[in-house]
Amino acid sequence: MSRTLKKNPNSTLTDRPLPVKAMIAVMAAYLTLSALPSWADGERVIENPPLLKFRKAPPRLGLMAVPQAAGSAITEKQLDLNIVYTDGMLYNPATGTNDKVHLRSYRGTDTNPNVPFVAPTIEVSPGDTVRVNLNNQLPNDPSCTDAQGDVNTPHCFNGTNLHSHGLWVSPTGNSDNVLLSINPGVSFQYEYNIPPDHPSGTFWYHSHRHGSTALQVSSGMAGALIVRGNRLPSEQTNGDIDTLLKKPDGASLSERILVLQQIQYYCPDNTSNIWDCTNSTGVIESYANFGPSSWTDSGRYTSINGKVLPLFNAKAGEIERWRLIHAGVRNTISLEFRKLKVGAPSANRLKAADADRYISDYCVGDPVPYHVIAADGLTMAGAQQTTLATLQPGYRNDALVVFPEAGSYCVVDASAPASSSPGQIAESRQLLGIVLAGSGIPVTNIHDYLTTALVAAAEYTMPASVKPKIIADLKNNLQLTSFIPHPDIKDSEVTGKQDLSFFIDTSATPTKFEVSNGIGAQFDPKPYDPVRIDRNLILGGVDEWTLQSNFVSHPFHIHVNPFQIVKILDPSGKDVSALGSVDNGGGTVDPQYPGLKGVWKDTLWIKSLIPPDTAQNGLYTIVVRTRYQRYIGEFVLHCHILDHEDQGMMQNVSIGIPDGKGGTATSHH
């Protein structure tokens, strides 16, 4: 079981000059007034999640400030998050009404009572300290403190903790420690000391108590965590991509922070159809409804920032930064934009089962190209133009989006092949929302338009010493090599090797969710054991990991240190990770792997064709490399299908200080 914190009844919480020719077309896009279609439904117009307005903490005496980029200052920020049951409403397109729900949620600093099932956005800068006062105000839950029973049977639904997903911070003490259990009635302050050299990017936070993670995250206990940077590149160091993404006047590009959630409430008192909550209140109090087809069966819609089928107000020709966060539990999201046919009926009463037909009939024309510039918060070596980006649970993508003409656009979750789904079931298309693009400047070639805009921004913002290189990179197919946060890991750096395979033992009763430290002949999977250290790693080491899955596909996530993708081999041994590759293993083209070679991530889909390919020739083999830098202590790796993690698909990992003999040093008392 997780380590628990005992309640202290006496504890208290602290109250805490621009080239004109290059810019003419771009300027026009920003200066043209927008006009929205008259049928816009203002009730569900999308906004970014509420932004936490931190109280600045008093200075810490005796500590020296760490040097920062010019114009920035290290600050301490505090917020209160109370975990409570919340009565609220979620829109149900099948009925055209709001369903009543009773779910666990965060309440506290700047939470929005109108959208209670998405947490506020935390915005920080490199060098900041963030303190989160986590106050568990849920009812008592004996399963949190009862040592009996199987730790991998979902339990402690009212216990919690907090994970800063993707942040490069310490995993121990009161930092990003997910081995704690904050039980009902207990308050605990998490403290994230974000290093001054932390990459800027899109991250997120969510509950992570083993045994209740899926239940709480699927209730909406998740929010965006944005690290904003102002470090310009130099001849010696790379900079933050934020410094390049500018409008003609030097202001940052328009931005959307989009938390995509799959809130899978049900109504147990309706015995004929638990998904019908017309005359009752939806809850999430069991793991019985987490399964391969349950999201489809539910008829629910993926919500965005707490809203179902929202409307996005935009302007044709304006470049927007979309920060996309898959904060759902299991189902794949494949993002696509298509023009909505003039005169199309409203989707307000569209059942999820009818979405594919609606998209076929009314979301017409070719998909709109857009450019992905970052994966899991880390800027890529080049912007990659696509018409469909695959987001698995835990993934984040930053994309530059331009709607080329005025009109309405469908935001589509495109159909995913079976191999992209955890249950090996092909997912049908769903509608995520509608973009209302007002009048602006028409764009005929989005790639060229974006290149012109970013070159002009570089002329305006970049230092003279690196400006020629950055502009040359941008003109060379939008390369971003001056903004990547980590250098490539070379063959000569590798000091060790790790193997891992996921497995579900369906022959066992109950089913076992397991992880193996070996592959091939060394395959020996085990369920999670909280007292066992599965991997002992050495600070300063560089490992090459080989990843597989011996039963269906799973998203691999490891805390603390990100990894770089070296290659992804399909069952025939073909590397499908290079840009322009075709992954057609199993006979179906899957777009998610091409372009990932060399990309840094913290979560990655480990694809498998087993079953139905049970002859063991359906294995994909994925090779990644990672450096163990700065932080020591215990943390976890796991499958980010969160009900798999809760049932045992997780391992304990420890990074220790070298002992000078090739191992880790032992403690001395």
Side-chain angles (χ1 to χ4, degrees):
M1 66 171 35
S2 299
R3 296 156 201 175
T4 61
L5 292 178
K6 296 181 179 179
K7 182 178 180 180
N8 178 3
N10 299 316
S11 65
T12 59
L13 295 176
T14 304
D15 187 19
R16 350 266 191 231
L18 186 60
V20 175
K21 290 184 178 180
M23 288 304 300
I24 290 176
V26 182
M27 288 283 287
Y30 293 113
L31 298 177
T32 305
L33 295 176
S34 75
L36 294 177
S38 60
W39 51 269
D41 177 4
E43 292 301 311
R44 285 183 285 109
V45 173
I46 198 70
E47 296 175 350
N48 289 336
L51 175 64
L52 288 164
K53 301 179 181 68
F54 294 105
R55 294 186 295 275
K56 187 171 181 179
R60 293 177 294 170
L61 299 179
L63 294 181
M64 182 180 295
V66 180
Q68 284 279 283
S72 67
I74 296 173
T75 61
E76 290 195 10
K77 302 174 179 181
Q78 292 192 44
L79 64 142
D80 296 327
L81 287 181
N82 306 316
I83 298 93
V84 298
Y85 271 109
T86 297
D87 292 310
M89 299 281 191
L90 287 170
Y91 182 67
N92 186 345
T95 62
T97 60
N98 292 314
D99 284 343
K100 296 179 181 179
V101 294
H102 180 71
L103 303 173
R104 297 164 182 83
S105 75
Y106 295 124
R107 300 297 294 271
T109 308
D110 293 322
T111 53
N112 185 345
N114 297 319
V115 280
F117 305 114
V118 59
T121 297
I122 298 175
E123 289 194 0
V124 296
S125 299
D128 284 353
T129 291
V130 179
R131 302 182 190 275
V132 181
N133 298 311
L134 199 65
N135 310 313
N136 190 342
Q137 299 175 1
L138 293 171
N140 185 45
D141 185 343
S143 72
C144 292
T145 53
D146 186 354
Q148 308 303 314
D150 183 0
V151 69
N152 295 319
T153 297
H155 64 289
C156 194
F157 296 166
N158 287 353
T160 194
N161 58 30
L162 198 64
H163 173 43
S164 56
H165 185 124
L167 279 195
W168 185 43
V169 294
S170 170
T172 62
N174 66 336
S175 185
D176 187 29
N177 190 341
V178 300
L179 299 175
L180 300 174
S181 182
I182 317 302
N183 291 344
V186 175
S187 295
F188 181 71
Q189 186 181 82
Y190 275 89
E191 178 182 304
Y192 303 134
N193 296 303
I194 302 170
D197 52 346
H198 195 290
S200 64
T202 303
F203 306 93
W204 64 301
Y205 66 98
H206 59 87
S207 57
H208 203 300
R209 204 279 185 196
H210 183 62
S212 62
T213 304
L215 180 139
Q216 293 185 5
V217 172
S218 70
S219 299
M221 291 176 62
L225 200 165
I226 308 300
V227 180
R228 299 193 181 276
N230 62 359
R231 296 165 294 198
L232 289 163
S234 70
E235 293 177 280
Q236 292 77 36
T237 60
N238 286 357
D240 296 313
I241 192 65
D242 303 6
T243 62
L244 177 67
L245 303 182
K246 301 292 184 180
K247 294 181 180 181
D249 60 0
S252 297
L253 293 180
S254 299
E255 178 178 292
R256 302 183 191 273
I257 300 171
L258 306 173
V259 182
L260 293 90
Q261 297 169 288
Q262 295 157 347
I263 300 179
Q264 198 167 307
Y265 61 92
Y266 59 93
C267 288
D269 53 338
N270 189 342
T271 55
S272 62
N273 180 12
I274 63 169
W275 305 115
D276 183 0
C277 293
T278 304
N279 298 309
S280 53
T281 299
V283 298
I284 304 177
E285 296 290 347
S286 167
Y287 275 62
N289 300 307
F290 291 116
S293 66
S294 58
W295 180 246
T296 300
D297 296 341
S298 75
R300 306 282 179 248
Y301 274 71
T302 297
S303 59
I304 304 178
N305 298 346
K307 298 181 180 181
V308 174
L309 285 181
L311 300 174
F312 301 83
N313 290 333
K315 181 164 58 177
E318 182 168 11
I319 301 169
E320 299 182 344
R321 181 179 187 174
W322 286 47
R323 296 181 183 262
L324 299 153
I325 301 169
H326 191 328
V329 171
R330 58 161 55 232
N331 281 61
T332 304
I333 297 172
S334 304
L335 186 71
E336 188 176 69
F337 301 99
R338 289 181 180 270
K339 195 74 180 294
L340 180 65
K341 191 175 182 179
V342 175
S346 170
N348 283 347
R349 295 291 301 272
L350 180 67
K351 295 180 180 179
D354 299 331
D356 189 77
R357 174 62 64 86
Y358 182 93
I359 293 167
S360 294
D361 290 347
Y362 302 112
C363 301
V364 296
D366 295 330
V368 177
Y370 57 98
H371 292 74
V372 177
I373 61 168
D376 291 354
L378 304 174
T379 303
M380 302 190 306
Q384 295 187 13
Q385 179 172 306
T386 186
T387 57
L388 186 151
T390 302
L391 290 138
Q392 301 290 3
Y395 277 28
R396 287 91 65 214
N397 275 343
D398 286 42
L400 300 182
V401 179
V402 180
F403 297 101
E405 59 183 353
S408 300
Y409 295 81
C410 303
V411 186
V412 176
D413 177 3
S415 55
S419 58
S420 289
S421 168
Q424 303 286 45
I425 301 170
E427 299 176 6
S428 64
R429 291 185 294 182
Q430 292 297 324
L431 192 64
L432 296 175
I434 300 292
V435 175
L436 309 175
S439 60
I441 186 169
V443 178
T444 56
N445 186 308
I446 290 175
H447 184 85
D448 290 349
Y449 181 77
L450 183 59
T451 301
T452 298
L454 293 183
V455 166
E459 289 274 13
Y460 185 65
T461 63
M462 291 297 109
S465 61
V466 293
K467 186 183 300 183
K469 175 188 179 301
I470 292 170
I471 290 175
D473 274 355
L474 290 170
K475 291 180 177 179
N476 182 21
N477 203 27
L478 288 174
Q479 296 299 299
L480 302 171
T481 59
S482 295
F483 304 94
I484 55 177
H486 302 293
D488 291 343
I489 299 179
K490 301 176 182 178
D491 296 350
S492 58
E493 288 185 66
V494 176
T495 59
K497 181 173 174 57
Q498 298 288 324
D499 294 329
L500 177 145
S501 185
F502 290 123
F503 187 61
I504 303 177
D505 186 356
T506 57
S507 67
T509 304
T511 297
K512 291 183 178 180
F513 293 80
E514 302 175 316
V515 185
S516 172
N517 275 29
I519 60 176
Q522 305 302 314
F523 180 68
D524 184 23
K526 296 180 176 66
Y528 178 65
D529 182 342
V531 301
R532 184 184 68 228
I533 302 298
D534 296 281
R535 298 175 193 270
N536 284 288
L537 310 174
I538 302 176
L539 186 68
V542 179
D543 277 349
E544 182 170 279
W545 292 61
T546 302
L547 310 171
Q548 291 183 339
S549 176
N550 282 64
F551 192 90
V552 300
S553 305
H554 306 270
F556 166 81
H557 173 53
I558 188 167
H559 294 198
V560 186
N561 296 295
F563 50 81
Q564 185 177 31
I565 299 167
V566 177
K567 57 185 175 182
I568 301 175
L569 306 179
D570 74 1
S572 72
K574 178 180 67 174
D575 187 353
V576 296
S577 66
L579 195 62
S581 298
V582 176
D583 175 16
N584 56 359
T588 302
V589 174
D590 183 351
Q592 68 176 310
Y593 282 153
L596 288 183
K597 181 182 288 292
V599 171
W600 288 84
K601 287 177 62 62
D602 59 55
T603 310
L604 181 61
W605 188 249
I606 311 303
K607 186 173 172 179
S608 176
L609 304 181
I610 303 172
D613 195 348
T614 55
Q616 298 294 304
N617 56 359
L619 291 171
Y620 277 69
T621 300
I622 298 176
V623 178
V624 303
R625 292 172 180 169
T626 186
R627 302 180 178 100
Y628 311 127
Q629 296 177 292
R630 186 170 292 165
Y631 299 113
I632 63 171
E634 295 178 24
F635 54 97
V636 296
L637 62 80
H638 58 91
C639 170
H640 219 283
I641 299 170
L642 295 178
D643 52 297
H644 290 182
E645 178 261 297
D646 282 328
Q647 296 176 87
M649 198 169 278
M650 184 163 78
Q651 288 188 331
N652 288 320
V653 180
S654 177
I655 296 180
I657 297 173
D659 63 3
K661 300 178 182 179
T664 55
T666 57
S667 298
H668 294 280
H669 301 283

